[in-house]
Amino acid sequence: MKKPLLLGCKGCGNAIVEAAFAVAGLPLDYEEVDYADDSPTRPRLLQFNPLGQVPTLVLPSGEVMTESLAILHYLDDQAPKAGLIPPKGDALRPVFYRWAVFLIAAVYPTYTYGDDPKKWVPDDVGSKCLRDSTDNHRKALWGQLEAEAKGPWFLGERFSALDLYIAVMTRWRPGVLWFAKNTPKSVEIAKRATALPAVAPVMKKNFD
Ligand SMILES: N[C@@H](CCC(=O)N[C@@H](CS)C(=O)NCC(=O)O)C(=O)O
């Protein structure tokens, strides 16, 4: 049977989706692309996602899915027993929604606007300012997440896809040393998620 195809780049947000597929035990094909403006694989990515972002998922039907959280919902529908999202009626479902959307709507955009700030503010002073302000804002956002992290998983005793976001995103700026010092609970969650037998190979592929 034809598998979904994930377009991604090593160490990027597609790692969250790869980990979720692995936890769900669902097969996946993967194609490496580089979203940079001058990359030879960018046209291939734009063919499926005009926003030029990864993760981009092409379903066997040809339907394209973008946005990591949308993809996780799709996966949860396919494999509800994997426990990626607390089920309907579970008291932790609203908590999951709040922090999942916080991760993609508040934390993720700090990279969207800060990774390549010249895209948004071409002059040197302005782009440095944007990089610094998004980097600082992200630290404050992680402080909020850290305060809410219950342990041993983000939601407490229950694993969820939030732990996969935390495992991947704590590999990004401001870097492992900052996270170790400022967000110890999140780092423990990330380690626990990374050690899951399904997740470990995905993390190794993306971050070693
Ligand atoms: N909201 C999107 C964000 C995806 C995203 O920003 N991905 C980054 C890589 S980790 C990217 O493609 N950046 C290139 C760009 O934004 O142009 C999601 O949750 O999937």
Side-chain angles (χ1 to χ4, degrees), residues 128-139:
K128 183 177 178 325
C129 225
L130 180 58
R131 173 64 170 244
D132 291 347
S133 61
T134 47
D135 279 353
N136 282 332
H137 183 51
R138 183 182 314 117
K139 289 178 182 170

Side-chain angles (χ1 to χ4, degrees), residues 52-74:
Q53 288 189 336
V54 295
T56 291
L57 185 71
V58 188
L59 299 179
S61 64
E63 191 73 45
V64 174
M65 291 199 73
T66 63
E67 300 299 333
S68 54
L69 189 55
I71 296 170
L72 291 175
H73 274 271
Y74 164 80

Side-chain angles (χ1 to χ4, degrees), residues 39-55:
S39 147
T41 50
R42 184 170 173 82
R44 168 83 173 153
L45 176 60
L46 291 177
Q47 183 188 331
F48 298 109
N49 181 1
L51 201 50
Q53 288 189 336
V54 295

